[in-house]
């Protein structure tokens, strides 16, 4: 009786493992992955900021958007945030928005970081990493330059200097 139960259990486990392997192979090789590319339309999303206000990317149509993915633990992100903050009021008046997407960290950590640097631009938290995955973001920081029509003009991976940020903000003015 025990041998028969063991055989049934082993067979069941083997079938579950086989199904998982088949599913993994199928999703990796036979499903289409649409990574955001230069020239494509930026995927729309809705995320809440630190005050609970919702930000929908499509609401920024007509403006340039500097979409920056970052984390509080990311030293390159930490270096470029003050430059972004300094340039934000200047370019906001010229029709360019900076929208910083935090990669799913606790709200308290993000708030402390924003307060420490006195950040004025909107900061939203991607709690489920859905936007991070939709944009296929790898290393942080990663920034997407989006024009007034919602088209991705450039993707920048890695830290930027103040001059770099200014040049990029200039390039997406409406």
């Amino acid at each position: 009786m025990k041998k028969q139960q063991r055989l049934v259990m082993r067979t069941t486990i083997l079938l579950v493992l086989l199904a998982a392997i088949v599913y993994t192979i199928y999703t990796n090789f036979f499903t289409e992955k649409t990574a955001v590319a230069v020239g494509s339309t930026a995927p729309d999303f809705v995320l809440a900021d630190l005050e609970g206000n919702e930000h929908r990317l499509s609401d920024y149509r007509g403006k340039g958007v500097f979409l920056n993915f970052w984390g509080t633990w990311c030293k390159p992100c930490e270096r470029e945030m003050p430059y972004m903050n300094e340039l934000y009021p200047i370019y906001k008046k010229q029709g360019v928005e900076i929208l910083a997407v935090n990669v799913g960290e606790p709200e308290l950590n993000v708030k402390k970081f924003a307060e420490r640097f006195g950040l004025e631009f909107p900061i939203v938290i991607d709690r489920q990493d859905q936007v991070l995955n939709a944009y296929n973001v790898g290393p942080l920081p990663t920034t997407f330059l989006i024009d007034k029509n919602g088209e991705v003009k450039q993707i920048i991976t890695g830290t930027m200097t103040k001059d770099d940020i200014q040049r990029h903000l200039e390039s997406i003015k409406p």
Side-chain angles (χ1 to χ4, degrees):
M1 184 72 167
K2 281 193 172 200
K3 282 186 177 182
Q4 189 175 4
Q5 285 178 334
R6 236 182 295 158
L7 179 63
V8 169
M9 184 60 83
R10 286 180 180 163
T11 304
T12 303
I13 290 171
L14 191 59
L15 288 173
V16 169
L17 285 172
L18 186 61
I21 290 169
V22 168
Y23 175 78
T24 302
I25 290 170
Y26 174 78
T27 57
N28 281 326
F29 294 108
F30 299 108
T31 57
E32 188 177 334
K33 290 185 178 150
T34 54
V36 177
V38 171
S40 67
T41 300
D44 199 16
F45 60 84
V46 179
L47 292 174
D49 66 19
L50 299 175
E51 285 76 46
N53 304 312
E54 287 191 343
H55 293 263
R56 179 182 303 274
L57 183 63
S58 57
D59 290 346
Y60 292 99
R61 284 282 165 95
K63 297 180 176 187
V65 179
F66 186 93
L67 183 65
N68 179 263
F69 289 85
W70 68 285
T72 60
W73 46 265
C74 165
K75 291 300 178 190
C77 303
E78 191 175 308
R79 283 193 293 275
E80 70 185 13
M81 285 287 179
Y83 302 138
M84 290 165 49
N85 200 50
E86 183 182 335
L87 295 167
Y88 176 64
I90 298 164
Y91 283 90
K92 183 176 173 62
K93 292 176 190 168
Q94 298 178 44
V96 177
E97 277 292 334
I98 292 177
L99 188 57
V101 180
N102 177 270
V103 292
E105 293 182 86
E107 190 171 327
L108 182 62
N109 294 6
V110 178
K111 276 185 178 179
K112 283 182 178 180
F113 184 94
E115 288 168 6
R116 183 166 51 125
F117 289 98
L119 302 179
E120 298 294 322
F121 48 80
I123 297 172
V124 294
I125 301 176
D126 185 11
R127 297 185 199 294
Q128 309 296 316
D129 289 343
Q130 291 171 325
V131 179
L132 182 82
N133 293 331
Y135 279 78
N136 200 26
V137 173
L140 297 179
T142 295
T143 302
F144 291 79
L145 302 179
I146 303 167
D147 73 6
K148 65 181 181 178
N149 301 313
E151 183 182 312
V152 176
K153 289 299 184 187
Q154 192 172 349
I155 303 168
I156 302 113
T157 302
T159 191
M160 291 180 272
T161 65
K162 182 180 175 184
D163 289 341
D164 292 337
I165 294 169
Q166 188 165 12
R167 186 170 27 85
H168 294 311
L169 290 168
E170 198 66 40
S171 75
I172 54 173
K173 285 196 322 193

